[in-house]
Amino acid sequence: MISRKGRFLNESELSERIDPHFIIPGLEAGQVGILSAPGATGKTIFSLELAFSLASGRELFDQIPVKSACRVLFIELEETLTGIVNNFCIARSCFFDASFPAENLYIWHDEEGMLTLVDSNNNVVSSNVEWLKEMSRDMSLVIVDHLSRCHMSDENSSVPMTVLMNVFRQIGRETDTGFLLLHHTRKGSILNGEGNIAESARGSSAIVNCARLVMTLSKNGDNDDSLKLTWAKINGHRPIKPMLLSRSFDGRILPDYTAEYTDKNEVKVAVD
């Protein structure tokens, strides 16, 4: 018989439901999620805020509950050293009375600016995969900024993108780590006002199809500082209403409590 990892589940194992362990709503350990947003929307700062929240055990967003502090690795591939330091200082200022969670939060700034997991011939780069696997061990969540910096292949081709997403998924399963990959939104989707749907993510549909969670961060109306976080694709979790956010004058991304939702998930401004 051909050898393959796996086994048959017995009746006892199949008789009672297992409560999933969500790192963030919709993303379990060992799974891969996408956060898609247009450039300069604030996804890096938002992701750093999320990382600090999880690592410190301090809840910032009502719809992203933090049950207990956990270990988070943030891999920065796109920003300069100045950029990531300044962005982190902005994010940390949301938690003005919290000390730095040194035992739980790890920020890696990659001087090469590339972590090629799949090369231009669609081959997996084993040395980089092994590096990422070792970095991911004992982490609850790994946030990668940016997905485009993890391959040298055609982003619009389904084969290399399937290979790439499977690399993250395999590492996640082997290390019991969740991955949140930052990604760009298609320009056409932005122009058509569809930046909050799963299919708005740039590149091949394989990226979205292989992810268990897709969140989008998009403008909410014409105000550049009003944002909306949408769980555009979610599995194994109840549906979540979009979360309204606002970008403050100093760059922080904060919950916007000045608006409420109608039954149709349309936003209406609350008037005193």
Side-chain angles (χ1 to χ4, degrees):
M1 184 175 181
I2 298 175
S3 176
R4 184 172 181 83
K5 292 183 179 180
R7 63 185 177 84
F8 290 108
L9 302 179
N10 59 45
E11 181 181 358
S12 176
E13 291 174 299
L14 297 169
S15 62
E16 189 172 346
R17 295 185 62 175
I18 300 174
D19 291 331
H21 168 58
F22 291 111
I23 307 163
I24 59 175
L27 183 67
E28 294 184 69
Q31 295 183 344
V32 182
I34 296 288
L35 173 59
S36 177
T41 304
K43 61 181 176 294
T44 298
I45 292 177
F46 170 80
S47 300
L48 287 166
E49 292 176 357
L50 175 62
F52 198 101
S53 174
L54 294 171
S56 64
R58 299 284 299 273
E59 188 170 304
L60 178 61
F61 306 104
D62 291 343
Q63 287 161 278
I64 306 180
V66 179
K67 295 181 179 179
S68 61
C70 61
R71 302 185 81 189
V72 181
L73 168 64
F74 192 102
I75 298 178
E76 181 55 64
L77 301 170
E78 191 164 64
E79 292 281 357
T80 63
L81 178 60
T82 300
I84 184 60
V85 170
N86 289 345
N87 283 340
F88 179 78
C89 288
I90 292 171
R92 185 179 180 179
S93 66
C94 295
F95 309 87
F96 62 93
D97 60 344
S99 59
F100 183 83
E103 295 183 357
N104 285 334
L105 182 58
Y106 300 83
I107 308 293
W108 172 272
H109 177 255
D110 198 90
E111 294 182 359
E112 297 181 20
M114 285 292 298
L115 178 60
T116 305
L117 304 177
V118 178
D119 65 20
S120 57
N121 294 316
N122 302 341
N123 296 318
V124 174
V125 182
S126 299
S127 58
N128 287 340
V129 171
E130 289 302 315
W131 178 87
L132 181 59
K133 186 184 302 182
E134 288 304 310
M135 292 287 283
S136 302
R137 293 193 190 280
D138 300 322
M139 296 293 170
S140 294
L141 179 66
V142 175
I143 301 174
V144 180
D145 184 16
H146 191 278
L147 179 62
S148 63
R149 302 278 181 159
C150 294
H151 68 91
M152 298 292 289
S153 299
D154 181 4
E155 189 177 61
N156 296 304
S157 176
S158 62
V159 172
M161 292 303 100
T162 299
V163 173
L164 177 63
M165 294 298 287
N166 282 338
V167 166
F168 285 111
R169 183 166 58 181
Q170 187 62 36
I171 294 175
R173 289 182 174 182
E174 290 185 20
T175 61
D176 200 32
T177 301
F179 278 91
L180 183 63
L181 312 175
L182 307 194
H183 191 43
H184 281 306
T185 300
R186 301 176 191 267
K187 292 183 179 179
S189 297
I190 300 170
L191 294 174
N192 293 328
E194 298 176 339
N196 61 340
I197 63 174
E199 292 75 13
S200 65
R202 197 179 69 184
S204 169
S205 59
I207 297 173
V208 168
N209 292 341
C210 292
R212 293 292 289 174
L213 169 71
V214 178
M215 297 189 296
T216 62
L217 185 64
S218 58
K219 285 176 55 178
N220 178 43
D222 296 327
N223 185 350
D224 289 340
D225 294 327
S226 181
L227 305 172
K228 179 168 61 176
L229 182 70
T230 304
W231 279 258
K233 176 185 176 182
I234 190 168
N235 287 275
H237 193 285
R238 60 175 177 77
I240 302 175
K241 293 170 65 173
M243 182 167 63
L244 289 182
L245 304 168
S246 63
R247 179 164 37 199
S248 66
F249 70 94
D250 57 1
R252 291 176 297 163
I253 308 296
L254 299 169
D256 185 354
Y257 297 114
T258 64
E260 60 182 19
Y261 293 98
T262 67
D263 291 338
K264 295 182 179 179
N265 283 343
E266 295 174 348
V267 179
K268 65 179 183 180
V269 178
V271 180
D272 292 336

